[in-house]
């Protein structure tokens, strides 16, 4: 399968793409990108999966995604609400979502991702949360200079029109809910103000 082209832009979401791509299971058939935006990650996933579906509520983002993948038949982009749109249950070998789940009801979205995943499949969620505890604030203060410098050096930017919502859940709340809903989930907090959840659905 082909390797993705050079990044058209970089930001703290794109920084997590390599880790997501490494988590794609070998021989992946169908992959789902929840909150695909302009389709950048979905296009990269097409190098590791036979078919990739991207879903997003934003008509503008979906239009850009479809335009950028016009010559790639293994990519499908769907406009709609992830929590209500009809999708095949337990059919995806890989499900991922990058900084989208805080735009939705966290638990409902995580349960739906779990249900759509095929037994033995892999789920990766990269999210944004808020600082609440002294330890979380200390981690933020320690990382803040690194984040600012990295963004400046990499000329961080996002596609115009990308929807933005402030997170309501704290990192601790995310971790607790994920561990309850996804037994055995691997939770990790990253320096560039993101967390990740990685989970393999039992066979």
């Amino acid at each position: 399968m082909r390797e993705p082209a050079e990044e058209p832009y970089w930001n703290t979401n794109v920084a997590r793409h390599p880790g997501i791509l490494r988590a794609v299971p070998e021989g992946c058939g169908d992959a789902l990108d929840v909150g695909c935006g302009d389709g950048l990650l979905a296009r990269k996933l097409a190098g590791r999966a036979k078919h990739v579906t991207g879903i997003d509520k934003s008509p503008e983002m979906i239009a850009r995604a479809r335009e950028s993948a016009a010559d790639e038949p293994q990519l499908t982009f769907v406009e709609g609400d992830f929590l209500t749109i009809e999708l095949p249950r337990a059919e995806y070998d890989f499900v991922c979502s990058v900084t989208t789940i805080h735009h939705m009801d966290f638990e409902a979205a995580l349960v739906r991702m779990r249900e759509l995943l095929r037994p033995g499949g892999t789920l990766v969620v990269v999210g944004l949360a808020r600082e609440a505890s002294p330890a979380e604030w200390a981690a933020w203060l320690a990382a803040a200079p690194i984040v600012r410098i990295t963004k400046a050096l990499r000329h961080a930017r996002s596609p115009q029109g990308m929807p933005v919502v402030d997170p309501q859940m704290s990192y601790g709340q995310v971790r607790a809910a994920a561990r309850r809903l996804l037994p055995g989930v691997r939770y990790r907090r990253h320096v560039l103000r993101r967390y990740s959840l990685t989970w393999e659905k039992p066979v």
Side-chain angles (χ1 to χ4, degrees):
M1 293 183 179
R2 63 174 176 76
E3 290 299 315
E6 186 179 349
E7 305 285 11
Y9 57 86
W10 184 93
N11 55 41
T12 49
N13 294 330
V14 176
R16 300 264 50 90
H17 287 184
I20 294 169
L21 295 172
R22 286 194 295 270
V24 178
E26 195 71 29
C28 180
D30 291 298
L32 176 67
D33 181 10
V34 179
C36 64
D38 66 353
L40 177 59
L41 177 58
R43 295 194 299 275
K44 296 178 184 179
L45 287 170
R48 288 168 167 77
K50 292 179 181 177
H51 186 265
V52 180
T53 300
I55 180 169
D56 202 287
K57 287 180 68 173
S58 167
E60 180 181 355
M61 291 294 109
I62 286 294
R64 291 186 193 176
R66 288 172 175 164
E67 182 180 2
S68 64
D71 298 324
E72 301 187 62
Q74 74 274 38
L75 282 164
T76 300
F77 291 103
V78 180
E79 179 190 335
D81 185 338
F82 171 68
L83 294 180
T84 58
I85 197 167
E86 187 174 344
L87 292 167
R89 185 185 174 98
E91 287 294 326
Y92 297 98
D93 300 297
F94 186 73
V95 176
C96 66
S97 179
V98 181
T99 321
T100 298
I101 198 167
H102 71 283
H103 291 243
M104 302 179 276
D105 180 292
F106 179 86
E107 295 199 6
L110 210 57
V111 167
R112 182 126 210 251
M113 292 178 199
R114 182 185 70 190
E115 291 174 347
L116 293 174
L117 197 63
R118 189 191 305 274
T122 300
L123 169 65
V124 178
V125 174
V126 172
L128 176 65
R130 63 177 180 84
E131 288 75 16
S133 69
E136 290 170 353
W137 278 110
W140 179 83
L141 287 170
I146 299 172
V147 174
R148 286 196 298 270
I149 293 169
T150 303
K151 284 184 173 181
L153 291 174
R154 297 296 303 267
H155 305 289
R157 66 181 182 87
S158 296
Q160 187 176 3
M162 185 76 77
V164 177
V165 174
D166 290 328
Q168 299 301 308
M169 295 177 70
S170 70
Y171 288 95
Q173 289 172 327
V174 165
R175 184 173 61 250
R179 287 176 174 172
R180 175 166 48 83
L181 296 171
L182 306 174
V185 67
R186 297 191 297 278
Y187 169 90
R188 183 182 175 188
R189 182 168 176 180
H190 300 279
V191 173
L192 299 180
R193 209 178 174 227
R194 295 291 182 272
Y195 67 81
S196 63
L197 308 171
T198 306
W199 183 70
E200 295 178 6
K201 188 171 185 176
V203 176

